[in-house]
Amino acid sequence: MEKRQYGRTGMNVSILGLGGAEIGFQGITGEQADKLLGSALDAGLNLIDTAECYAISEELIGKTVRHRRDDYYLFTKCGHSSGIDLPDWDPALLEQSIDRSLSRLQTDYVDVIHLHSCS
């Protein structure tokens, strides 16, 4: 799998990444997510991107590939309210959203956090 530098981050990421939206929205099983994510990582993909608002995407990613955390860069998104009763972009919302994502992803760090659906 071809890889490239991600800006000035020092991360050497695969030119293809796996987007987690469909993992969350299509209602796939943990077994299906495990097969999909495991196959992608085995093929050399090393970038997984998701968001706190992609239904159960973060949970499935955490459940199925947490044991391979050194094999991929993990990106997620935050910013707009998804089940947290605070205004969009409020600093407290961002903090709670990021903490919830870390818990769902079963990791103590993400490599990049993007602001999602900004005005």
Side-chain angles (χ1 to χ4, degrees):
M1 174 77 61
E2 184 180 342
K3 295 184 172 78
R4 295 186 184 149
Q5 286 294 318
Y6 186 73
R8 297 183 203 169
T9 66
M11 292 185 280
N12 196 27
V13 300
S14 53
I15 60 170
L16 296 175
L18 191 139
E22 298 306 316
I23 291 172
F25 292 135
Q26 293 300 315
I28 69 173
T29 66
E31 183 178 314
Q32 291 169 318
D34 184 46
K35 184 175 181 179
L36 173 68
L37 291 162
S39 296
L41 294 173
D42 291 344
L45 182 142
N46 73 347
L47 172 59
I48 299 174
D49 176 73
T50 189
E52 57 89 21
C53 62
Y54 293 168
I56 61 168
S57 175
E58 289 182 327
E59 290 92 333
L60 287 172
I61 292 167
K63 178 181 177 183
T64 59
V65 292
R66 70 178 177 268
H67 66 285
R68 295 185 65 175
R69 186 62 184 91
D70 292 336
D71 293 345
Y72 58 93
Y73 294 105
L74 182 58
F75 294 10
T76 195
K77 302 172 196 77
C78 68
H80 54 80
S81 182
S82 181
I84 299 174
D85 191 26
L86 289 168
D88 289 355
W89 311 109
D90 184 284
L93 170 89
L94 298 176
E95 183 177 356
Q96 287 181 34
S97 177
I98 292 166
D99 286 344
R100 182 176 64 183
S101 289
L102 291 170
S103 176
R104 288 175 172 177
L105 291 161
Q106 298 184 32
T107 187
D108 58 356
Y109 71 100
V110 294
D111 297 289
V112 174
I113 297 177
H114 293 283
L115 299 178
H116 199 216
S117 302
C118 307
S119 60

